[in-house]
Amino acid sequence: MNILPELKARFRAALTDLVSDHQQADVDAVVNMVRSAQDARFGDYQANCAMPLGKQLGRPPREIAAEIVERLDVADMCDPPEVAGPGFINLRLKSEWLVSQVNAAWGDPRLGVPQASPARRIVVDFSSPNVAKPMHVGHIRSTVIGDAICRTLAFLGHQVISDNHLGDWGTQFGMIIYGYKHFVDRAAYDASPVAELGRLYKLVNQLVEYHAGTARLPELQQQLAEQIAAAEAAEADAEKLAASGKPADKSAKKARRRLEDKVAGTRAEIAGLQARIEAVDSDPTLAQLAADHPRIGTAVLDETAQLHAGDATNRQLWEEFLPACRQAMEEIYQRIDVTFDYELGESYFQDRLAAVVADFESKGLARESAGATCVFLDDFDTPMIIRKKDGAFLYATTDLATIQYRVEEWQSDEILYVVDHRQGEHFQKLFAAARLWGFDKTHLQHVAFGTVLGKDGKPFKTRSGETVGLVGLLDDAVARARDIVAANDDAKKNGPELSESERDRVADVIGHAAIKYADLSHNRSSDYEFDQEKMLAMQGNTATYMQYSFARVNGIFSKGNVDIEALRAGSASMQLDDPHERALALELLKFSDALVESVDDYRPNVLTNYLFELTKSFSSFFEHCPVLKAEEEAVRTSRLLLCDLTARTIRQGLNLLGIDVVQRM
Ligand code: ARG
């Protein structure tokens, strides 16, 4: 049962008669003011809607509150509502109702979570790395957030289609093809194609950036000189103004700040370029390669263009490289327990692109501009290019073809793109173009996320400035988890419980979980700092703590020799006499609301927050209410059932985040 939506529906009904027709539009906002109470002394739920309504209707809020209460039909669920203070309406769930609900949840394999109705068909486009580049820390977010969204939606009863839109057709293939043709180390390639292709990608990329950087440097230096001059001129103006005794101009001050920021930005960009150039210049082998391949940038684009044009050699190399690259990614997905229904990469859509452009043209939705085919969109300064001057199609063209496919083949009601926020403009344009094209019945949403930062607050890089590889990070987390598990086990009162191989298995589960949970527990819109120590902490909002709470319940059962299966099969039921029992039961019943809310705007951190509240609630229950040592048998049994429902809810919640539990740790 979803308590909050139910209460809101009851309020809606009560309000409908109260406000006149022209105010109906505001009813939503008012109904949304029904919330969980912050302080249990004031009840379980609270509604502050009488205050704004009072203003609207020009009447005292307390009077309005009293009138709402009179019309509110919640007698089956709640004790009589109370009006407090300036007009708060406090609701307390009836004890018998709470008891019957929590018993029903306990007896339900779905833990009381109703199936969504109507079920929607939702495509989730996530992970979607560019193959041929090793996966790095940035890929973790899309993969983990997308997977959690899929699992939660599916549990709620929606039809989910997960699709890994692999970048398997872009410039990175031009890079490894060029690298293979000129620099391959055969023995290394034969021994491990993926490692060698990774090296080639890095090498070619480095050489391309070297030449691009050397070419761009003078231009940037010129730009810097101009920016400095402008900043100095503005500064001089400001000094003159100050000397003349006139008041400082605020907007001029702002403009000066902007100029200074520009100077700093350009300086940083130059420093970055210089460091990359220096890295090549200072290495004789690299410097020689750079000198021998002066036009590598265009050569790489040519290789890509030839692949796209169907050149036999490049096509054959692509077919040879792709399975190896996919295999390497597959190993990571297996490790972190992520699967896809489809992995239709960009290459899958290539033979549809010409038709997409032709369709836009024939419908008069695209026209030529400076040789390129463009879709002009309202509300955007620049058009969306769907075919370049040289005939090449773009990322956007592929995405349009993909939307057509997903709507026509899969009849999707909704398509979610779990992609870095920096692609925001691409998706806004893409969605606008798709609507223009006629796909206006499918809800398209960019589920954007921020950047993973290092301790210095900058994008997470290795000391030498490279992006951090995913495999290394996972290994590291597991190794740290292994130490924690060992220390924890060694410190147990009656001596260690886990064998070496159990310790390994537990560390594997806990290490991977820590990384996933840390990512999911941050609001996806913000950047977050990757901190291995924090994410493995035994206390606080971490996977480790949730897993520990689960294992703790399990420990109660094994310590008391409780046959939980027999208990589940029996006819026992819960009673909620102690306030801590009641508080825990109420928290357990909020699971359903948390799931619904977490997919409302696709924010898994709503679910992690819920789990954190639940484990806290369990902890204070456990502190105040003896379970195995409960005096009466009925109380003992009732508490065991509460423990059981707690453990199952934690396990289910973590499972929806793609996280496993262990029985002991
Ligand atoms: N491969 C792209 C990248 O790594 C992400 C693709 C996201 N999905 C999409 N349909 N555009 O940036």
Side-chain angles (χ1 to χ4, degrees):
M1 150 81 117
N2 296 323
I3 304 179
L4 193 55
E6 182 61 35
L7 287 175
K8 285 184 179 174
R10 309 273 179 111
F11 266 83
R12 185 181 295 280
L15 286 164
T16 303
D17 301 336
L18 189 72
V19 299
S20 62
D21 283 343
H22 73 276
Q23 284 152 334
Q24 281 300 326
D26 299 324
V27 167
D28 271 348
V30 173
V31 162
N32 279 331
M33 298 184 82
V34 183
R35 305 221 168 100
S36 280
Q38 298 296 340
D39 186 332
R41 282 176 306 173
F42 302 127
D44 301 322
Y45 291 87
Q46 195 175 45
N48 301 349
C49 44
M51 273 67 92
L53 268 180
K55 233 191 217 149
Q56 262 178 47
L57 304 176
R59 289 171 49 197
R62 272 195 77 98
E63 211 179 286
I64 305 271
E67 212 167 311
I68 296 176
V69 164
E70 204 169 298
R71 291 158 191 264
L72 189 63
D73 179 12
V74 288
D76 55 330
M77 295 171 75
C78 303
D79 290 337
E82 274 168 21
V83 177
F88 299 115
I89 302 172
N90 294 333
L91 301 170
R92 197 178 146 84
L93 296 171
K94 260 192 184 153
S95 291
E96 314 89 80
W97 188 83
L98 201 58
V99 168
S100 77
Q101 290 295 318
V102 77
N103 276 307
W106 176 75
D108 178 1
R110 294 182 55 79
L111 308 168
V113 179
Q115 297 269 0
S117 156
R120 284 172 294 157
R121 186 180 278 243
I122 305 171
V123 176
V124 188
D125 176 325
F126 73 102
S127 196
S128 310
N130 293 333
V131 294
K133 295 188 200 176
M135 270 169 107
H136 61 78
V137 66
H139 292 115
I140 191 79
R141 293 211 85 176
S142 175
T143 310
V144 165
I145 296 172
D147 184 50
I149 291 173
C150 288
R151 288 169 182 259
T152 311
L153 284 172
F155 183 72
L156 286 172
H158 294 291
Q159 290 175 41
V160 179
I161 300 178
S162 56
D163 188 11
N164 189 4
H165 188 74
L166 295 170
D168 59 359
W169 196 243
T171 323
Q172 72 276 21
F173 271 99
M175 291 204 182
I176 56 175
I177 290 173
Y178 186 90
Y180 185 85
K181 287 181 179 172
H182 297 91
F183 314 123
V184 73
D185 173 341
R186 274 254 55 109
Y189 182 77
D190 290 339
S192 165
V194 172
E196 177 60 4
L197 290 177
R199 183 190 74 87
L200 291 172
Y201 172 79
K202 243 175 83 179
L203 174 63
V204 174
N205 195 34
Q206 195 174 15
L207 298 177
V208 169
E209 283 192 347
Y210 174 84
H211 287 298
T214 346
R216 181 152 163 70
L217 204 53
E219 190 188 315
L220 268 182
Q221 271 155 344
Q222 169 72 24
Q223 198 178 316
L224 178 64
E226 284 163 15
Q227 286 169 345
I228 291 178
E232 281 172 356
E235 196 60 40
D237 281 351
E239 271 164 28
K240 239 192 253 159
L241 195 71
S244 73
K246 288 197 189 121
D249 177 347
K250 262 201 185 149
S251 70
K253 194 171 171 194
K254 261 198 195 148
R256 285 207 304 284
R257 277 293 286 278
R258 270 203 302 275
L259 286 173
E260 279 164 28
D261 287 350
K262 268 195 191 159
V263 168
T266 312
R267 281 217 166 96
E269 202 182 332
I270 290 178
L273 278 189
Q274 280 171 333
R276 267 175 271 161
I277 293 170
E278 173 57 19
V280 173
D281 282 339
S282 65
D283 179 326
T285 322
L286 279 176
Q288 188 57 51
L289 288 178
D292 293 345
H293 297 264
R295 271 173 297 280
I296 190 167
T298 30
V300 161
L301 294 179
D302 281 350
E303 295 292 5
T304 317
Q306 280 178 41
L307 168 67
H308 292 176
D311 172 80
T313 314
N314 283 10
R315 183 81 200 189
Q316 190 208 323
L317 286 175
W318 180 79
E319 269 162 22
E320 181 177 325
F321 298 157
L322 192 59
C325 298
R326 289 182 77 141
Q327 177 57 31
M329 283 176 358
E330 204 40 56
E331 279 163 24
I332 295 192
Y333 291 135
Q334 253 172 34
R335 230 186 123 153
I336 59 175
D337 190 20
V338 170
T339 56
F340 301 93
D341 298 317
Y342 294 91
E343 290 190 289
L344 304 182
E346 293 177 15
S347 64
Y348 184 83
F349 298 96
Q350 288 319 298
D351 49 11
R352 298 164 188 260
L353 303 187
V356 169
V357 175
D359 200 35
F360 267 88
E361 283 173 328
S362 76
K363 291 185 169 134
L365 302 172
R367 59 187 159 84
E368 204 196 287
S369 171
T373 309
C374 301
V375 182
F376 288 86
L377 302 159
D378 294 343
D379 306 329
F380 290 95
D381 296 338
T382 51
M384 183 162 109
I385 305 176
I386 54 175
R387 186 172 50 205
K388 285 199 276 191
K389 203 170 154 185
D390 63 6
F393 301 113
L394 295 95
Y395 181 54
T397 328
T398 310
D399 260 331
L400 284 170
T402 310
I403 290 178
Q404 182 180 44
Y405 183 88
R406 288 171 177 167
V407 175
E408 289 176 357
E409 294 289 316
W410 295 340
Q411 273 86 46
S412 43
D413 300 315
E414 196 169 326
I415 307 176
L416 307 177
Y417 296 84
V418 188
V419 185
D420 192 315
H421 69 101
R422 280 169 295 194
Q423 294 195 27
E425 182 170 329
H426 162 73
F427 285 110
Q428 292 327 308
K429 282 183 168 175
L430 175 69
F431 300 164
R435 280 192 294 268
L436 201 62
W437 197 20
F439 294 100
D440 52 357
K441 283 178 198 63
T442 302
H443 173 77
L444 304 169
Q445 185 174 343
H446 179 197
V447 180
F449 54 80
T451 310
V452 183
L453 305 176
K455 282 235 170 83
D456 55 2
K458 302 215 179 92
F460 194 31
K461 298 266 161 75
T462 60
R463 234 175 260 154
S464 58
E466 286 171 40
T467 46
V468 182
L470 196 47
V471 174
L473 275 185
L474 297 174
D475 287 346
D476 195 32
V478 172
R480 281 168 190 258
R482 182 69 165 78
D483 292 343
I484 292 172
V485 170
N488 194 41
D489 195 35
D490 286 339
K492 281 178 188 155
K493 257 192 270 152
N494 304 322
E497 292 171 2
L498 305 174
S499 68
E500 289 302 313
S501 69
E502 269 178 297
R503 286 181 176 194
D504 287 342
R505 209 190 67 74
V506 171
D508 197 66
V509 173
I510 289 180
H512 287 106
I515 290 197
K516 286 187 173 184
Y517 193 95
D519 202 308
L520 295 166
S521 60
H522 289 91
N523 187 330
R524 63 171 167 79
S525 311
S526 5
D527 297 343
Y528 85 96
E529 193 178 297
F530 196 89
D531 182 337
Q532 266 130 323
E533 229 153 89
K534 261 198 212 154
M535 61 179 71
L536 278 156
M538 290 286 274
Q539 286 294 329
N541 192 10
T542 62
T544 321
Y545 180 58
M546 306 304 138
Q547 290 167 320
Y548 165 73
S549 306
F550 176 84
R552 183 152 121 176
V553 178
N554 207 57
I556 301 172
F557 295 157
S558 53
K559 192 169 163 207
N561 279 320
V562 177
D563 183 347
I564 195 66
E565 293 302 331
L567 218 74
R568 283 182 197 152
S571 60
S573 71
M574 279 177 255
Q575 53 197 56
L576 306 170
D577 298 326
D578 186 286
H580 295 95
E581 294 172 328
R582 188 182 187 283
L584 175 58
L586 180 59
E587 203 56 49
L588 285 163
L589 289 177
K590 288 182 182 171
F591 183 47
S592 196
D593 284 349
L595 295 185
V596 171
E597 196 192 327
S598 95
V599 296
D600 182 47
D601 189 33
Y602 303 111
R603 296 190 183 275
N605 69 311
V606 172
L607 180 51
T608 59
N609 287 346
Y610 166 77
L611 289 174
F612 190 35
E613 290 307 316
L614 174 63
T615 47
K616 281 195 283 192
S617 200
F618 176 72
S619 208
S620 59
F621 154 80
F622 193 60
E623 221 173 276
H624 293 94
C625 304
V627 178
L628 295 174
K629 294 207 177 95
E631 279 170 14
E632 287 168 50
E633 185 59 28
V635 174
R636 181 178 185 270
T637 306
S638 165
R639 290 183 179 166
L640 282 171
L641 300 192
L642 263 178
C643 287
D644 182 38
L645 182 58
T646 304
R648 284 162 58 207
T649 307
I650 296 175
R651 184 175 57 201
Q652 182 65 63
L654 288 177
N655 175 280
L656 298 181
L657 300 169
I659 292 174
D660 217 347
V661 289
V662 289
Q663 302 296 325
R664 300 194 289 181
M665 62 190 271

